Structures are given as structure tokens and as C-alpha cells.
Amino acid sequence: MKRNLILALCMACSLGTMKAAQTQKVEPVDLVNTFIGTSNFGTTNPGAICSNGLMSVVPFNVMGSNENKYDKDSRWWSTPYEYHNIFFTGYSHVNLSGVGCPDMGSLLLMPTTGKLNVDFHDYGSRYKDEVARPGYYSNFLLKHGVKTEVTATLRTACERFTFPKGESHILLNLGEGLTKESGAMVKQVSPTEYEGFKLQGAFCYYAQAVFPIYFVMRVNKVPESMGYWKKQRERPDNQAEWFPDRGTFKLYTAYQKEIAGDDIGVYLNFNTKENEVVEVQIGVSFVSIANARENLNAEQKGKDFNDIAQEARQKWNTDLKQIEVEGGTKDEQTIFYTALYHTLIHPNILQDVNGDYPAMESNKVLKQHEGNRYTVFSLWDTYRNLHQLMTLLYPNRQRDMVKTMISMYDECGWLPKWELYGRETYTMEGDPSIPVIVDCWLKGLRGYDINKAYTAMKKGATTDEKHNPLRPDNNEYMAKGYISLRDSFDNSVSHALEYYVADNALSRLAKALGHKEDAKLFYKRSLGYRNYFSKEFNMLRPITPNGKFYKPFNPLQGANWEPSPGFHEGNAWNYTFYVPHDIYGLAKLMGGKERFISQLQSVFDRGNYDPTNEPNIAYPYLFSYFKGEEWRTQVLTHKLLKAYFKNNPEGLPGNDDTGTMSAWAIFSMIGFYPDCPGEPAYTLTSPVFDKITLHLDSKQWGKDKLVIETKRSNPNAVRIEKMEVDGKPWHNYRISHSDLVKAGVLKFTLK
């Protein structure tokens, strides 16, 4: 009897445990698949990073090897990792995510076994058992029998290597990376600590944007011996086309305390027991070695690897829970939370724990006294949607980003265009700081000097091109209202279209601040796109210096990355509808609503929509400006999400562009999109999920959450039948930011 009672109690406990496990809520952090976008030129990576953190630790598998499927020379790539590659040569520290140009990706740390060899062609290894989640990555190196694990704090990395028995090594390769800068210095300061710096920069081959990254590295075990190496380059005439020369390596013993130059590194030798663990800590700074050490001391003192990994996980989960979704498929939830994860990688904090940061475009070191100083402003991409997402969900971070941009003006005299660790790269077109700051101000985000910002914006918009690094061709633009095609393959139309968007935003701010004449001037400028409109093609078309349209004109020229007269990374189809501030005016030029809709629909029907090209990513939302055509937006957004966003390494349509493509997916999945940068409003579409809860900052927006509920007539319903805001009918397919954050509950009924 007693035995049966015990068995019954055990079974009940077991069933209760099973039931609890089955009903346990899945946390957002567990739904992230960090391998999404790591192929198909998405250029994301599965490395360890904290949200908006300076440090990222990424598996590096794009160095020259004929074993790799896609890459034979890292200098051809803008990412340290490609999912289908198999040749691992270490972990790189401080990396960019989703970009299209090579930069960063250095300080390569590699565990090896057997006889010491410092040539990456020889010590590189195939690997298996990849595990990746926010804040953590691991693999197993087949050649060396080493399990590797990495995690990160905001400014430091912690790496754990489990070695087999025998001769083992840890190599810090300071010569190789994603770019051609190979200069470095490293110095031993104790048996377990090393310090130095590595040159970085030249993003998109802009040679002036070069700067050092400082580091301090510690190991938790005293090596049996250590030393340095330097590569002695050889350049035979018959060098293989794809491979950098291997050269020879000269080794230096530990009697030499430091080494500097090109292509150098440091090696640590160990005699390890079976499954012996060696941990490595690396702190970085863009100010000094001393600050790198201070960062390391502050962020890892008293913590082990597991502590740091758990903290990173908790930080990510807190940030990801700003949006909670219910319904949809498991894949859709994974795509969504991975997209949110990707939008929280850049921009990154720049200041050290003591507040020091490198001033913009100078050698000065300044102090951040409150909030965060940010870096990596890929603004040509992110001004379209990512900063709008930050404003809505993380307003304190976005406020600090705006304050950072204004501080950059204080420090160098100009707002940023494509800033990277305190250097301006001048990549891409336009004047993209303007719509970002204007959008924030018009939505009610305060806490910065808007009058100073306006002065900075006006300076960029009105200064002649000789003294204006932000706006090439500004003289002709100001005089004629357009930029002519001076070279067969320049980007004249793209330049001007970006200026129109910026000037429209500037006009809105000028009006809000009471600068009536400025508002009129910039609004008039924003309509200059009409100069490019060709009735013959019903499209925008380049203009030659004599004021006539360019001939012969092929609207498709520029597809598939071929050079295109007047258009950057695209063609006339990808740019013609990029006048988000004057959609009705464009429709009038095209001959009215019907012709506009027909022309826009043909972009999708003929396969001319480019999901990787920012200027046309808002195209699906433009249908909703016209009564009776809104259903096209709803059908298209669902169709495009299914076609281009998937739960696999190829799951992004192309470069994520520091979170821009992911931000498009997030907005499209929750049911609204900011299709006109600088206008505080959104276009509505049908959500993917049944219930979405956006947790808002109540101090900023007046309410602590926005709930979006969707009722479907059938599982495949995507067309909106009716909408309600706080229980009242809503008949407009656009909603202001103010109405959205005050809504409380937004309900969709789909048919």
C-alpha cells in the first residue's frame, strides 16, 4: 500500500513537471536564430555581442583557403563569417553587422594544438557543432580537438578554450583581418597580460578614415613560453590570383618584450591536460590602452565565463521583450525576434567606462558625462526605418543618438553622414542626419538643442560644394533644383533624390520652429524631382549638362549591380517612386491615380522590385495613399515577407545594412511602417501575429503599452476589412505617431 502510494505520488510529480515544462513560456531570446542572414550576402554573423555594445566576438572563416566554398581571400569580403564556409582561423573582435564594405574584423584569436605554426593557411581548421544564441557562440575545431566558446560584455570579450592533452597554443594574429591595414604593436606586461593596438579603417576604401583600436588581453593560466612573430613577405611573379602571398614567418622569443610593424602576432605555448580549460579576456578602447584595461577591469572583475554569458542573455531578453507577440508560426516568431535582435546591434556605444571617447574627426579625447556616446551611423540606410523603431521602443537610446550627432557637429562642424568610430567615411548619398533628427523632434522626443541642430542642418543644405563635405554637387542643386549627369555612370539622380527627402524634412522643422521663409525655400527645393520626370517613360530620367534628358535611356540599366547612368546601386525602377514626401504630386505627373497604380504595380509584376535596395523598400506602402488600393499594400507586404525573410542562413534578401532590412520586416509584421522619413506618421498594413504588445516608455509617450489585436476570417486572410482605435472605427490607412502611441488598443479585422 505504502509502495503504491509512493509510486502514485512520484507519477503525479512527474506528470506535473512534464505539464509545467510543456506550458513554460518561451522567452524571446530563445526564439532568435543568429544564423539568419549569414549567407546570401546578408553579412550578419552569429558572434557574441550585447545590444548596442562596442565589443563583438565573431568566428572568422573568410581567410584564404581553397577549402572554403565562397571565399578565398578575406579582403574581398565585408563580413568575417559566411555560413557555408568551413575554414576557421580565429575569433575577430569588434565587427560590423550587415554592411556591404569591408572594415574592422581583426584581433584574431586562435587556439591550436601540436607543433607551433603561425601561418593561418596551416593552423586554420574545419569545425563542427556550432551553437549560437544572443551573447554566446561555440564550435569544435576538428584539426585541433579544441572546443571554443565566446561571450561578451559591452566593451570586453571572454573566451573559453577546452584543450586536449599535449602541446597547445593561443595565437593572437594582428596582421590579418578584413582590410589591408596590417600595422600593429603588442607588448607583454606580465606573464599573463598583453597590450597593444591594431590599425583599422578605410571603410569602403576611404583611406582617410583610419584609426587604431587599443586592446588588453589576459589569460588565466601562465604559459610555458611565449613569443612574437613577423611575416616576411614574398611576392613571386607566379603568385596565384586569389591568394595573398604566404611568405615566411620569423619567430621571436620571450626575451623581446614587444614588437611593432606589419603582419605581427603573439603566441602563447601551453602543456595542457585532457579537457583543460584556458580562458582569455580581451578589453578594447578607441582611446587608449589604459582605458582598454580599465574597461576590462570594470566589466569582468569577479565574473567567470558563465556569469558573463548569462548576463548577456538577460540583457538581450530584456530588450527583446519590448515587443511581445502571440500567434503566427514558430518560424514567423523566430524571423521576427531575430530581426529585432539585428536592429539592436548598431549603432554602438563608443565611450569607455570612464566616459572617454575619441572626438569626431580629431585627435582629441572628450568626456561623456551622461547617457551614451554612439558610433557606427550607417545613416543612408537607417534613416528610413531603424531610427523610427528606436524612437518608438527605445526613446532614451534614440535621444542619446541624436545628442551624439549634434555633438559631432560641435566637434567637426558637420553632422554625420556615415560615421565610423569617430571618423567620417562619406559613404553613399544624401544628407541623412536631417530626417533622423527632424523625425524625432516632430514626434515629441526632446532633450537636445534643436536650434543648434537646425543651424547644423541649414549649414549642410546651403553651403557651396567646395566647402561642403556632406553635399557633393550642391551648387548646381541649389541653382537649378537638380544635378546633371556629368559622367556616364555617376549617381546624379540618386544624389538629388536624397537631398529632396532631406530638404522636405528640413522644411517641416523650419516651419515648426517658426522659420517661415526657410520652410518655403526648402519645401520648394524638395519638389525639384519634377525636373527629372520624363513623360516619354513616365519615370525619372537623368538630365545632361545641357538640360536635356539622357539618351539612350534604358530604365532597367543598373539591375544586378551593373553600372547605371544617374542611379546608385539600382536603376530608374528602383528610384522613380522615391519621393515619399510628394506621392500625390508624383501621381499627378504620371497622369493620375490609375496610371500611378498601374506603373507601381508593374514594378512587382515585372520583377523590378529590389528588396535589397533601400530607395524602393517603401514601395509596397505607397498604394495605401489611394482609396480603394490599400489592399495591394496588405497583400504585398505578406507576400514579400514570405518570399524574402526566412528562418535559415539565406533568410535575408541581401545586406541587412546595420539592421535596416530587419527593421522593414519588424514594422511590416506588426502592421505599420514609417514610409516618409521626417513625417511623424505611419501607413497601416495587416499584422502577421494575432496579438502584439509594444511596451512603451510611459514618461515619453504617456502610455506604457500599445496592444495590436488581429481577428482573421480564415488563417490566410490578409486584407483589412475594418480597423478600430480604442474601440472606435478607424477609416484612414495612415496614422500619426501621436495617435498611435495614445491608441492603447489597435484592432484589425481581416477578410
Side-chain angles (χ1 to χ4, degrees):
M1 178 73 177
K2 185 176 180 181
R3 182 182 179 189
N4 290 340
L5 179 61
I6 292 173
L7 285 172
L9 288 171
C10 288
M11 289 179 66
C13 289
S14 177
L15 289 171
T17 302
M18 289 173 63
K19 184 176 181 180
Q22 290 171 355
T23 59
Q24 185 177 6
K25 185 177 180 181
V26 176
E27 294 289 347
V29 71
D30 296 318
L31 290 167
V32 174
N33 176 5
T34 59
F35 290 110
I36 289 177
T38 56
S39 189
N40 191 36
F41 300 98
T43 66
T44 63
N45 64 70
I49 188 173
C50 291
S51 57
N52 299 113
L54 180 66
M55 172 60 78
S56 57
V57 200
V58 176
F60 202 101
N61 71 1
V62 296
M63 287 228 276
S65 170
N66 55 14
E67 294 188 65
N68 277 342
K69 181 177 181 180
Y70 289 102
D71 308 298
K72 296 181 179 180
D73 185 348
S74 64
R75 288 173 291 186
W76 289 85
W77 265 87
S78 60
T79 176
Y81 177 92
E82 208 289 334
Y83 181 80
H84 297 287
N85 281 347
I86 59 175
F87 192 69
F88 177 87
T89 53
Y91 285 103
S92 59
H93 298 77
V94 184
N95 304 267
L96 302 181
S97 174
V99 299
C101 286
D103 208 326
M104 312 307 290
S106 66
L107 305 180
L108 296 177
L109 192 70
M110 178 72 181
T112 68
T113 59
K115 185 178 179 180
L116 176 66
N117 191 319
V118 299
D119 187 337
F120 73 82
H121 296 90
D122 299 324
Y123 69 64
S125 173
R126 293 191 177 206
Y127 53 95
K128 66 174 184 177
D129 299 337
E130 285 189 287
V131 176
R133 52 183 179 265
Y136 176 89
Y137 173 88
S138 174
N139 67 20
F140 185 84
L141 305 184
L142 295 170
K143 182 173 185 176
H144 302 291
V146 176
K147 180 180 180 180
T148 80
E149 299 170 274
V150 296
T151 187
T153 68
L154 288 175
R155 302 170 182 86
T156 74
C158 188
E159 294 154 74
R160 182 164 67 187
F161 305 133
T162 304
F163 288 99
K165 181 179 181 180
E167 188 177 354
S168 301
H169 318 277
I170 292 176
L171 312 177
L172 178 62
N173 189 331
L174 297 173
E176 300 292 343
L178 288 180
T179 58
K180 296 180 180 180
E181 291 77 31
S182 59
M185 184 279 288
V186 61
K187 175 183 179 181
Q188 182 187 31
V189 294
S190 82
T192 57
E193 185 172 306
Y194 308 83
E195 66 182 27
F197 66 84
K198 167 78 169 69
L199 287 181
Q200 302 274 243
F203 182 68
C204 279
Y205 316 105
Y206 184 70
Q208 292 182 354
V210 176
F211 44 84
I213 180 172
Y214 301 95
F215 68 89
V216 169
M217 181 180 78
R218 292 175 182 156
V219 292
N220 69 341
K221 177 182 174 67
V222 177
E224 298 284 328
S225 61
M226 62 80 59
Y228 308 98
W229 77 77
K230 178 167 175 53
K231 186 175 183 178
Q232 312 297 309
R233 289 191 176 273
E234 297 177 358
R235 298 189 180 278
D237 292 336
N238 61 351
Q239 177 182 349
E241 178 183 359
W242 284 93
F243 288 85
D245 60 286
R246 293 186 62 164
T248 58
F249 292 85
K250 184 175 181 180
L251 302 183
Y252 299 87
T253 67
Y255 296 112
Q256 182 169 330
K257 291 294 183 182
E258 63 184 81
I259 190 171
D262 292 325
D263 303 304
I264 63 171
V266 58
Y267 60 86
L268 312 180
N269 299 325
F270 301 91
N271 185 15
T272 54
K273 301 175 183 177
E274 186 69 24
N275 293 324
E276 183 171 354
V277 174
V278 179
E279 289 192 7
V280 181
Q281 301 170 320
I282 295 181
V284 297
S285 166
F286 285 91
V287 171
S288 68
I289 291 172
N291 279 16
R293 182 174 287 107
E294 188 174 356
N295 291 341
L296 187 55
N297 291 339
E299 295 188 356
Q300 293 203 32
K301 185 177 181 179
K303 302 173 185 176
D304 63 14
F305 183 94
N306 291 332
D307 294 333
I308 294 169
Q310 183 60 26
E311 284 183 6
R313 171 188 163 83
Q314 291 173 349
K315 288 177 182 177
W316 273 115
N317 202 44
T318 298
D319 281 347
L320 295 170
K321 287 177 77 170
Q322 286 296 112
I323 308 181
E324 296 185 81
V325 302
E326 300 174 36
T329 66
K330 180 71 174 295
D331 277 349
E332 286 169 337
Q333 291 188 4
T334 295
I335 290 165
F336 179 82
Y337 279 112
T338 305
L340 187 56
Y341 167 84
H342 284 148
T343 64
L344 291 169
I345 293 177
H346 299 301
N348 312 94
I349 62 166
L350 180 61
Q351 84 278 4
D352 296 319
V353 292
N354 64 9
D356 288 351
Y357 68 87
M360 185 70 175
E361 294 286 83
S362 80
N363 294 322
K364 294 180 180 179
V365 174
L366 300 178
K367 185 81 71 174
Q368 187 77 10
H369 295 288
E370 61 178 24
N372 287 316
R373 168 78 174 206
Y374 283 93
T375 186
V376 189
F377 283 95
S378 174
L379 291 167
W380 183 83
D381 308 297
T382 58
Y383 88 82
R384 304 165 198 273
N385 54 29
L386 184 137
H387 287 285
Q388 290 87 324
L389 185 70
M390 298 296 292
T391 298
L392 178 63
L393 294 175
Y394 312 94
N396 291 327
R397 295 186 204 184
Q398 180 59 28
R399 181 183 293 106
D400 281 352
M401 291 174 192
V402 170
K403 291 169 71 174
T404 294
M405 289 156 58
I406 297 172
S407 293
M408 290 174 178
Y409 165 72
D410 284 335
E411 294 157 18
C412 75
W414 302 94
L415 291 171
K417 188 168 187 174
W418 210 125
E419 176 273 348
L420 188 70
Y421 303 102
R423 295 292 182 267
E424 181 56 72
T425 70
Y426 298 111
T427 303
M428 303 306 291
E429 283 89 20
D431 200 346
S433 290
I434 293 177
V436 171
I437 299 172
V438 171
D439 190 87
C440 293
W441 180 262
L442 295 183
K443 286 176 178 173
L445 191 66
R446 300 291 190 263
Y448 45 89
D449 189 341
I450 191 60
N451 291 304
K452 181 185 290 185
Y454 181 76
T455 299
M457 296 176 197
K458 187 174 177 180
K459 178 182 178 182
T462 60
T463 301
D464 72 90
E465 62 192 51
K466 283 187 177 181
H467 306 95
N468 190 343
L470 292 180
R471 294 201 181 197
D473 305 313
N474 203 36
N475 290 0
E476 185 178 25
Y477 174 79
M478 291 189 293
K480 298 180 179 179
Y482 64 87
I483 300 169
S484 61
L485 185 72
R486 301 173 187 174
D487 181 275
S488 296
F489 299 112
D490 72 9
N491 303 317
S492 56
V493 185
S494 299
H495 274 305
L497 287 173
E498 295 291 344
Y499 296 162
Y500 300 139
V501 173
D503 283 346
N504 176 72
L506 185 50
S507 172
R508 293 173 187 269
L509 181 60
K511 183 178 180 180
L513 297 178
H515 304 297
K516 295 181 181 179
E517 294 305 313
D518 284 355
K520 292 178 182 177
L521 169 67
F522 295 122
Y523 177 71
K524 182 179 179 181
R525 280 195 195 175
S526 75
L527 301 180
Y529 77 90
R530 297 173 181 178
N531 290 290
Y532 290 112
F533 186 76
S534 166
K535 291 184 178 180
E536 179 184 352
F537 289 89
N538 217 29
M539 301 180 74
L540 302 187
R541 180 177 177 182
I543 301 172
T544 58
N546 63 8
K548 297 182 179 180
F549 284 123
Y550 170 79
K551 294 181 180 181
F553 177 56
N554 176 8
L556 286 174
Q557 188 173 352
N560 301 316
W561 298 94
E562 68 170 319
S564 172
F567 299 101
H568 192 176
E569 296 183 4
N571 57 35
W573 285 107
N574 307 135
Y575 279 91
T576 285
F577 295 90
Y578 189 56
V579 286
H581 54 287
D582 193 38
I583 295 302
Y584 296 119
L586 178 62
K588 186 176 180 180
L589 285 177
M590 287 186 168
K593 169 185 170 180
E594 287 73 19
R595 289 200 67 189
F596 178 93
I597 295 298
S598 176
Q599 186 90 321
L600 181 58
Q601 185 64 51
S602 73
V603 173
F604 300 94
D605 295 343
R606 298 176 183 176
N608 293 329
Y609 175 74
D610 181 359
T612 72
N613 192 44
E614 274 80 0
N616 73 181
I617 59 175
Y619 278 19
Y621 288 91
L622 304 184
F623 293 104
S624 291
Y625 281 77
F626 301 92
K627 188 173 182 179
E629 305 296 341
E630 302 91 349
W631 65 271
R632 297 178 190 268
T633 293
Q634 299 143 32
V635 170
L636 271 171
T637 52
H638 283 262
K639 181 179 179 180
L640 295 172
L641 282 168
K642 290 181 179 179
Y644 295 113
F645 294 86
K646 301 180 184 298
N647 184 17
N648 58 43
E650 289 76 24
L652 290 176
N655 291 169
D656 195 36
D657 287 331
T658 65
T660 302
M661 295 301 163
S662 290
W664 186 93
I666 291 168
F667 276 120
S668 297
M669 295 177 93
I670 64 178
F672 55 92
Y673 188 80
D675 52 84
C676 182
E679 180 185 351
Y682 310 87
T683 294
L684 299 169
T685 189
S686 48
V688 167
F689 304 105
D690 298 334
K691 184 178 180 180
I692 304 157
T693 303
L694 281 69
H695 295 283
L696 305 177
D697 185 324
S698 59
K699 287 185 178 180
Q700 177 60 51
W701 303 127
K703 286 200 173 183
D704 61 0
K705 64 181 177 181
L706 167 65
V707 178
I708 303 170
E709 298 177 350
T710 303
K711 182 179 179 181
R712 306 169 199 277
S713 61
N714 64 78
N716 298 317
V718 297
R719 297 192 185 191
I720 297 173
E721 182 177 11
K722 65 178 181 178
M723 299 176 287
E724 297 175 43
V725 173
D726 268 348
K728 297 179 181 179
W730 186 266
H731 302 292
N732 194 344
Y733 284 84
R734 283 182 68 72
I735 187 168
S736 71
H737 177 81
S738 177
D739 285 337
L740 181 74
V741 295
K742 293 176 182 177
V745 179
L746 175 60
K747 290 186 178 180
F748 292 89
T749 301
L750 307 185
K751 58 182 178 181

